[in-house]
Amino acid sequence: MISDVVLSPDGKHIAALTSSDGVKVNISVWRTDALDQPPTIIGSTAMTFKSVEFVKNDRLRVMAMQTLTIGAIPETGFDAYYGHISKTYITDLEGKSWINPLGTTGVAKSEADQVVRALENAEVIDDLPKDPKNVLVLDRRKGREGDIYKVNIYTNTPSRIDHTDYFRYDGLITNAKGEIRGRTELGYDGGKAYFVQQIKNPTTGAWEDHFRSYARDRNFNNLLGFSNDPNIAYVSMVVNNGKRGVYVYDIAAKKVVEPLFEHKLFDAGNVILSNDGELLGVGYNDARGAIYWVNEKIGARFKAARTALGVKTEAVSWTDPDTELKTRFNTSSDFDVSIVDWSRDGEVVIVERSGPKLPPEYYLLDKTGKLTLLGSSRPWVKTDSLGQTKLVQYIARDGLPIPAFLTTPPASFGPGPHPTIIHPHGGPWSRDQLDWDPAGWVQYFASRGYVVLQPQFRGSMGWGEKLWRAGDKEWGGKMQDDKDDGAKWLIDQKLADPTRIAMFGYSYGGYAALAATIRPNGIYRCAVSGAGGSLSEMKKATGNSRILRERQKPSVDGLDAIQNAGEAKIPIFLYHGDRDENVDIKDSLRFINGLKNAGKPYKWMEIKDMGHGYITMTPDMMEVQLTEIERFFQKQCQFGGAVIADE
């Protein structure tokens, strides 16, 4: 297995996360001029590597994770902690020297000191690519909040160079020189929370207000970065047709000069800049997520890689939810490529090829144009056994166009109708992509003969303002109607067997599965809820935060499934990780208590040491989820198929 493939700035080394068994994760480092030679292997016994990237030509920044259990420490006022902890380290290319970029050294002097050290983590805000030895670090430790250091990553020596009011300013943005020139201020106007984007004047050095956005409006103007002209910045804002664009901004005049990138159907959200502040590309969120390359050299290499690796496109008929414009656009049909890293001179690049039925595989594209396969993230997967995924739209009962990703099983299962899973995403302010699902949920079931529909129901982000805001206060209401309407559309398309439809979701999707058991006149045979949350707890959490109280709480209302658990009409399988810090496992247990009191059927599974996000899930945790869900579908839901033997 190979993932997180990165390239050193000078193009001489490649680093990646690798594994021979899918469980033990190492860091492998190769020389690009000697790919036939064995790599240097860097391992860990206590923590699991989760990401790697180059911070200098000969230094790697590594993020590692492990479970952490700490009892309450009275002298610190610290409550007990039971979850996962992430740590950032910097090491050399052989893994011999490891440092904490915060400059912490020595042995903890007390239990309280040990707790503080366990929980502290460095926030590197700039790699300072033009500085051969230092990185820029923001300190968040108690008593030092807001201190900014240059840290020599070879000697582990911090030098304090600045300070920012940590509780007032956030979102620090640097220019190509490593100077902090942008920040976001939190303020209140008549009790109404707002954010002000501030920029340091290039002439006077004074901080000046530029954009004010109120939390309640949810329409923020965002500073993205600075060009090599000190008076020019790039900002994103919603100007036309409910879509976010990227614009050139004159700092001195405090006005937008011109559009840099607008798309009539999709949001644009970020800029890609060189170490010198040269604009390389603009990211936008189409079906897959793409970059419009402004830099001709990288753009040409991207096009060459697409051609060489056989990317094909197909036209998609589309109705824009914001404008109701009917149009067509092209998207990749089976897989696509992306440039994930490149050398400073652009001569050497790392290319990823992936798609809904193709796990990511990585190539080195050298300056001669030669492509060399480095490896695959899941080399054992037989892609011909997987389903075909495409972007579709159906019309909700009130006329709103709903995007969705439809995955149909391999042709060997026949034309259908098939057993079907409606699979809503989490969030709900989120969305799915036309790409590989690393959790394996979609293709696991497609490969076993299921149709899987991922509805981008109202409340989903990334498809325009109208669809997103239409989910306000519609939890278990119109948001749920959209999912049901997707199931009915599949029945009309002769793809879904109306007697074998289930809902399976995780996080917010888990809440939706709980709601599906309760709503009258349901069309589901059963439901599966992973880490499903409580609406009342969500409202409480948003109410306790001054910002979320204005930004998100007004959108969170509707059916509280947990309070109505006794009304469940279909069997349900609930599972939850015991180290979940996002959604308390007590939420699932409360729903189960309601089922018990009403004598309703259910299945329950608690997964030891699993947190909320995919990043906390081991292969064993994923396997038990998939096999137990399948067993539930076959036995309790009686969907048929080969029954998995009990272990």
Side-chain angles (χ1 to χ4, degrees):
M1 293 176 62
I2 184 171
S3 64
D4 269 54
V5 184
V6 290
L7 188 67
S8 62
D10 60 9
K12 294 182 179 180
H13 289 91
I14 297 170
L17 300 184
T18 58
S19 178
S20 60
D21 60 5
V23 178
K24 172 67 175 177
V25 179
N26 296 315
I27 297 170
S28 295
V29 181
W30 294 264
R31 284 172 40 201
T32 53
D33 63 354
L35 291 177
D36 57 335
Q37 300 297 313
T40 300
I41 305 295
I42 303 172
S44 172
T45 56
M47 305 188 82
T48 301
F49 296 135
K50 292 297 181 179
S51 69
V52 61
E53 57 186 318
F54 280 92
V55 64
K56 306 293 180 187
N57 287 324
D58 60 351
R59 288 294 185 272
L60 299 168
R61 179 166 57 242
V62 179
M63 193 274 277
M65 175 179 283
Q66 70 179 45
T67 57
L68 183 66
T69 302
I70 301 175
I73 309 296
E75 60 265 37
T76 66
F78 185 79
D79 294 330
Y81 178 82
Y82 187 70
H84 292 80
I85 189 71
S86 298
K87 302 285 285 186
T88 298
Y89 300 99
I90 291 178
T91 186
D92 58 72
L93 301 189
E94 295 181 342
K96 294 180 178 179
S97 170
W98 293 80
I99 73 162
N100 177 339
L102 280 173
T104 303
T105 58
V107 179
K109 298 178 181 179
S110 65
E111 186 180 16
D113 187 26
Q114 184 178 2
V115 169
V116 170
R117 290 185 180 218
L119 294 175
E120 68 186 22
N121 199 19
E123 181 180 344
V124 179
I125 57 177
D126 197 313
D127 289 344
L128 301 179
K130 295 183 178 182
D131 186 321
K133 295 184 178 181
N134 295 291
V135 297
L136 206 61
V137 175
L138 173 65
D139 202 337
R140 293 179 178 269
R141 290 176 290 184
K142 187 175 182 180
R144 308 179 189 178
E145 299 98 334
D147 283 349
I148 298 170
Y149 297 88
K150 273 190 177 180
V151 179
N152 185 313
I153 59 175
Y154 296 85
T155 63
N156 198 22
T157 305
S159 301
R160 185 178 180 274
I161 63 169
D162 203 349
H163 178 83
T164 185
D165 187 336
Y166 173 74
F167 300 102
R168 183 178 177 185
Y169 301 107
D170 199 3
L172 303 181
I173 299 178
T174 57
N175 61 11
K177 296 179 180 180
E179 302 166 335
I180 298 173
R181 290 203 55 209
R183 67 186 186 186
T184 303
E185 180 188 27
L186 170 62
Y188 298 94
D189 178 6
K192 299 172 184 176
Y194 65 83
F195 300 94
V196 173
Q197 189 66 68
Q198 296 185 336
I199 300 175
K200 186 176 287 187
N201 186 293
T203 302
T204 67
W207 286 103
E208 299 174 342
D209 293 353
H210 284 261
F211 309 113
R212 175 177 290 202
S213 305
Y214 284 86
R216 64 181 181 182
D217 296 333
R218 287 184 276 161
N219 189 2
F220 303 151
N221 297 330
N222 298 323
L223 174 65
L224 303 177
F226 298 93
S227 80
N228 45 23
D229 180 337
N231 190 52
I232 295 298
Y234 303 112
V235 300
S236 73
M237 56 183 66
V238 178
V239 176
N240 296 315
N241 302 327
K243 306 300 187 297
R244 185 166 291 274
V246 177
Y247 302 88
V248 179
Y249 183 72
D250 185 312
I251 298 171
K254 292 189 175 183
K255 70 176 183 180
V256 169
V257 177
E258 61 183 349
L260 176 62
F261 184 91
E262 293 176 321
H263 198 293
K264 65 181 180 180
L265 300 176
F266 303 111
D267 289 338
N270 64 296
V271 292
I272 297 94
L273 303 171
S274 75
N275 295 336
D276 297 318
E278 175 195 356
L279 179 69
L280 302 180
V282 182
Y284 63 101
N285 209 7
D286 63 358
R288 171 187 168 94
I291 295 175
Y292 174 77
W293 291 105
V294 177
N295 180 275
E296 293 183 0
K297 177 184 284 188
I298 297 181
R301 312 214 79 193
F302 170 68
K303 291 179 181 179
R306 289 188 98 210
T307 300
L309 293 174
V311 174
K312 298 179 181 178
T313 61
E314 60 184 7
V316 176
S317 297
W318 195 253
T319 301
D320 178 48
D322 282 303
T323 65
E324 300 185 4
L325 170 71
K326 296 184 183 299
T327 185
R328 292 165 69 87
F329 67 92
N330 289 328
T331 188
S332 52
S333 53
D334 292 316
F335 54 81
D336 211 326
V337 305
S338 55
I339 292 179
V340 295
D341 206 359
W342 53 89
S343 60
R344 184 176 292 124
D345 60 10
E347 295 290 339
V348 185
V349 301
I350 302 295
V351 176
E352 175 189 310
R353 179 169 73 160
S354 64
K357 63 181 296 183
L358 179 65
E361 54 188 31
Y362 300 90
Y363 296 80
L364 178 71
L365 177 61
D366 67 21
K367 60 183 178 181
T368 70
K370 178 184 177 183
L371 275 167
T372 302
L373 177 64
L374 301 173
S376 169
S377 61
R378 284 169 172 77
W380 62 86
V381 171
K382 299 177 181 179
T383 58
D384 58 357
S385 69
L386 303 182
Q388 187 71 34
T389 304
K390 62 180 180 178
L391 176 64
V392 297
Q393 273 186 315
Y394 58 90
I395 305 301
R397 63 191 68 181
D398 63 356
L400 184 65
I402 305 298
F405 294 101
L406 170 64
T407 302
T408 50
S412 58
F413 287 93
H418 303 282
T420 295
I421 301 170
I422 305 300
H423 183 45
H425 59 70
W429 289 2
S430 182
R431 58 161 287 177
D432 295 304
Q433 304 281 349
L434 189 66
D435 206 351
W436 178 255
D437 167 27
W441 289 325
V442 173
Q443 287 293 358
Y444 180 87
F445 289 104
S447 69
R448 284 154 174 77
Y450 291 81
V451 167
V452 181
L453 186 73
Q454 298 167 270
Q456 308 302 289
F457 48 87
R458 66 193 73 201
S460 301
M461 296 188 78
W463 305 98
E465 290 273 306
K466 183 176 180 180
L467 185 72
W468 173 37
R469 294 176 184 268
D472 288 1
K473 300 183 179 181
E474 291 292 346
W475 289 50
K478 292 181 180 179
M479 293 169 75
Q480 205 76 11
D481 291 344
D482 293 344
K483 306 172 186 75
D484 296 356
D485 291 345
K488 294 174 181 177
W489 176 75
L490 289 173
I491 294 172
D492 292 341
Q493 301 296 310
K494 309 298 184 185
L495 289 173
D497 179 345
T499 67
R500 295 188 294 170
I501 301 177
M503 181 177 289
F504 161 48
Y506 190 86
S507 193
Y508 164 82
Y511 157 84
L514 299 179
T517 69
I518 295 166
R519 290 186 9 133
N521 305 315
I523 58 176
Y524 303 103
R525 186 71 173 265
C526 60
V528 177
S529 171
S534 160
L535 182 64
S536 61
E537 289 300 313
M538 180 68 172
K539 292 170 73 173
K540 184 186 299 183
T542 54
N544 289 339
S545 166
R546 180 71 181 271
I547 302 303
L548 293 180
R549 192 184 310 154
E550 296 186 44
R551 181 172 187 255
Q552 193 168 19
K553 187 179 180 182
S555 74
V556 182
D557 205 358
L559 172 65
D560 194 311
I562 290 178
Q563 293 181 358
N564 295 278
E567 299 178 21
K569 300 171 179 63
I570 56 177
I572 183 165
F573 171 28
L574 300 94
Y575 70 91
H576 215 124
D578 68 350
R579 289 182 181 266
D580 193 326
E581 297 179 76
N582 293 62
V583 178
D584 197 318
I585 193 172
K586 294 177 182 177
D587 284 353
S588 289
L589 296 175
R590 287 170 55 207
F591 193 88
I592 287 175
N593 285 335
L595 294 173
K596 285 181 179 179
N597 293 336
K600 300 298 178 69
Y602 70 91
K603 177 179 178 178
W604 165 244
M605 180 173 65
E606 179 177 318
I607 303 180
K608 180 177 172 54
D609 286 340
M610 190 174 87
H612 190 76
Y614 174 71
I615 195 173
T616 70
M617 300 179 190
T618 65
D620 285 345
M621 293 172 187
M622 291 308 308
E623 181 178 346
V624 74
Q625 289 181 58
L626 295 167
T627 55
E628 289 300 322
I629 293 170
E630 184 179 12
R631 183 177 286 111
F632 176 74
F633 285 156
Q634 293 170 349
K635 290 188 173 182
Q636 277 80 4
C637 297
Q638 299 178 350
F639 276 6
V643 177
I644 299 175
D646 289 321
E647 298 176 352

